[in-house]
Amino acid sequence: MPRRHESDAAQRHTPVLLQRCLDLLAPALESDHPVLIDCTLGMGGHSEGALTRFETLTVIGIDRDPEAIALASARLAPFGDRFRAVHTTYDHVDEVARDASPYGDGTVDAILMDLGVSSLQLDDAGRGFSYSRPAPLDMRMDQSVGTTAQQLLDTADEREITRILRTYGEERFAPRIAAALVRRREAGRPVRETADLAELVRESVPAAARRTGGHPAKRTFQALRIAVNAELEVLERAVPRALNSIRVGGRLVVESYQSLEDRIVKQAIAVGTTTRAPEGLPFVPDDAAPYLAAVTHGAEKADDDELASNPRSAPVRLRAAIRLRPAADAPAPEPERAADPGPRRSRPTGTDRTSKTTRGRRKR
């Protein structure tokens, strides 16, 4: 896969709510040599902003996409060993934090998550994430491993396709779309590219429903992308692990772009901000006190200025929390049952590889 020049990454990528994210992270990054984990490195826009603003900061960038690692590493090369990248999924954030911790307890100062599909993946027509341009139905964030959207649609039965579209796309016409996909497949004419799929969805949705809500294939493409990359399963593991990887006074900042993501983040923060003391006690015992405090009031949205400068910020929901008690005393619980992994035939891509760049760990 060709490597693009670092200046191309900067020109093509405008980070969403960059200054607001940096403002929320700032109180946790006031130590002498703070460490921030950027769980969704992408093309490096948020990391570049943080490294520029906080002059003694070290950033560890996580991404499952090898092309993102290459682009961001080139873009951030001027910062030397203040930046290094890790090729893995962000549910390995706890492992990354243990390696990067300046405190010897596996914690860092702050963690940032900018969820969903990246500008790199969305803008590259060949990746198959966009319904507006013809491309193979791939949709893998790491194209070196895993099951493609094409393979999913070629093998899943009608019931499974319906479940994926309904669960991950909140698509009310999921049964119609799934039935049309299976009919095409059984007739020897399976969908073979993004334009094919987008047209099939358009034809399957009633005309009245096509008049509002944007492109009718939007929810189907979202659902397939989430299923192919096991995004919700990974996120349900990642959020509590991130919360357990920040020091007391450390901060987690998360940008979500659809309700399924935001619900997971909201619930994890709600658990940590709620006292566990029985109702009616005259005081709250230390071991029942909340271990998080919400920094944002609910979910913040992009204002008019942000929307004007970056239209992709329209769906963003921004939440932030601060850790009040050590994770050793009050760990954020992982879900007993992870989010539904989508297609039940394969594991998510890239979850068992953790490889670091050759840039050495900065000495303290």
Side-chain angles (χ1 to χ4, degrees), residues 72-88:
S73 294
R75 178 179 186 174
L76 301 175
F79 296 98
D81 64 2
R82 292 177 56 209
F83 169 78
R84 57 187 181 272
V86 180
H87 178 212
T88 191

Side-chain angles (χ1 to χ4, degrees), residues 84-122:
R84 57 187 181 272
V86 180
H87 178 212
T88 191
T89 48
Y90 54 70
D91 55 340
H92 290 274
V93 61
D94 52 337
E95 299 169 21
V96 175
R98 282 195 293 272
D99 183 70
S101 176
Y103 305 110
D105 61 355
T107 66
V108 296
D109 298 281
I111 295 175
L112 172 67
M113 294 178 169
D114 182 19
L115 304 176
V117 65
S118 73
S119 298
L120 165 66
Q121 293 153 349
L122 194 61

Side-chain angles (χ1 to χ4, degrees), residues 2 44 220 331:
T220 293

Side-chain angles (χ1 to χ4, degrees), residues 7-26:
S7 63
D8 188 30
Q11 291 166 4
R12 294 166 60 216
H13 178 224
T14 303
V16 172
L17 293 177
L18 173 61
Q19 294 307 317
R20 180 55 178 154
C21 287
L22 297 181
D23 289 344
L24 289 168
L25 292 166

Side-chain angles (χ1 to χ4, degrees), residues 192-352:
R192 283 291 177 236
E193 62 175 26
T194 55
D196 252 359
L197 177 59
E199 180 60 19
L200 180 143
V201 172
R202 191 191 68 79
E203 292 174 351
S204 301
V205 172
R210 298 200 297 262
R211 297 191 188 108
T212 58
H215 197 290
K218 176 173 62 177
R219 290 177 292 274
T220 293
F221 274 69
Q222 171 184 297
L224 290 173
R225 188 202 81 217
I226 289 173
V228 164
N229 296 286
E231 291 178 43
L232 299 186
E233 183 184 30
V234 171
L235 182 61
E236 277 206 332
R237 292 192 298 265
V239 175
R241 291 176 186 178
L243 289 169
N244 292 335
S245 298
I246 51 176
R247 62 168 173 81
V248 173
R251 294 192 172 205
L252 172 68
V253 175
V254 186
E255 294 180 287
S256 305
Y257 295 85
Q258 39 99 348
S259 60
L260 300 173
E261 294 172 339
D262 185 55
R263 190 176 305 140
I264 292 170
V265 177
K266 177 182 178 181
Q267 289 173 349
I269 292 176
V271 168
T273 56
T274 303
T275 179
R276 292 183 294 153
E279 191 173 345
L281 280 184
F283 67 95
V284 177
D286 289 344
D287 62 358
Y291 55 84
L292 297 178
V295 180
T296 54
H297 298 288
E300 294 185 1
K301 302 179 181 180
D303 60 20
D304 291 341
D305 290 340
E306 177 78 13
L307 290 169
S309 63
N310 190 0
R312 286 184 178 172
S313 66
V316 73
R317 301 293 181 268
L318 175 65
R319 297 183 187 270
I322 181 173
R323 180 163 271 285
L324 303 177
R325 299 168 56 201
D329 298 337
E334 292 191 33
E336 293 183 7
R337 183 184 63 84
D340 195 328
R344 298 187 176 100
R345 301 165 292 101
S346 63
R347 296 295 298 163
T349 63
T351 55
D352 56 359

Side-chain angles (χ1 to χ4, degrees), residues 24-48:
L24 289 168
L25 292 166
L29 301 179
E30 293 172 347
S31 59
D32 289 339
H33 298 286
V35 174
L36 166 70
I37 297 178
D38 183 348
C39 280
T40 45
L41 178 61
M43 286 191 282
H46 284 97
S47 287
E48 182 180 54

